[in-house]
Amino acid sequence: PLAHGQTDPRLHTSLMYEDKLLLQIRIERLRGARTFSQQPISRCHHLLQQPTVESRDEATGVYAVRSAFHYVETRQDEQTLYAGWATHTLVGDAAGLRIRLKRVDLVNCDAAHGNIQLFM
C-alpha cells in the first residue's frame, strides 16, 4: 500500500500490486541475461519476527497471520532498508495451508522510494 490503512488495492494506489501471472513475469525477467538493473545481482536479507495469528475462521479454513520484518537489499555500494509488517491470508486444503494473499505494509510507505527490484 502507498498509504497507511489502505483497505482496497484496486481502489487505491499501491507501491506494488501483482497477481500470480505478474509475479511469474517478474521472476523470469530478473533471471534473464539482459536484466541490466540486476548486474551485479542484488543480495538481500530478511529478518522476520515470529508470526501472530490475527484471525481464524475454522469453518472456512481461512487464517490471517502477521509478522514484523526488516528487509535489507544491497547492490554494489548501495544498501536499502525496508521495515514493516507482512500479513498472509492462508487457506487450508488437503495439502495443508496455502498462501492466498500476501500484503506488505511498510513503515514509511508514503516516502519517496527508488525502484523496488525484489520482493520483501
Side-chain angles (χ1 to χ4, degrees):
L2 187 59
H4 292 282
Q6 176 180 311
T7 57
D8 189 338
R10 291 182 183 97
L11 297 177
H12 298 92
T13 305
S14 296
L15 293 169
M16 191 177 294
Y17 182 69
E18 297 182 348
D19 60 12
K20 193 168 185 172
L21 174 63
L22 288 174
L23 173 62
Q24 290 171 337
I25 291 169
R26 178 185 288 268
I27 291 169
E28 288 175 22
R29 185 186 63 79
L30 287 172
R31 288 183 179 155
R34 294 173 42 136
T35 308
F36 301 111
S37 66
Q38 281 296 298
Q39 293 177 9
I41 295 174
S42 294
R43 289 177 284 176
C44 63
H45 180 266
H46 289 94
L47 180 62
L48 297 169
Q49 184 180 36
Q50 182 174 342
T52 58
V53 177
E54 297 290 307
S55 66
R56 66 187 214 186
D57 185 341
E58 297 290 341
T60 61
V62 177
Y63 307 88
V65 296
R66 182 173 158 137
S67 303
F69 71 87
H70 283 172
Y71 171 83
V72 179
E73 183 177 314
T74 182
R75 232 173 61 69
Q76 295 180 327
D77 292 337
E78 187 175 322
Q79 181 171 292
T80 307
L81 170 67
Y82 299 99
W85 301 268
T87 304
H88 291 85
T89 302
L90 308 173
V91 179
D93 66 11
L97 293 175
R98 298 191 178 271
I99 298 173
R100 175 187 287 169
L101 176 71
K102 177 182 178 182
R103 174 182 167 135
V104 174
D105 289 278
L106 296 178
V107 171
N108 64 337
C109 62
D110 48 1
H113 295 280
N115 291 335
I116 298 174
Q117 299 263 349
L118 305 177
F119 284 104
M120 290 172 238

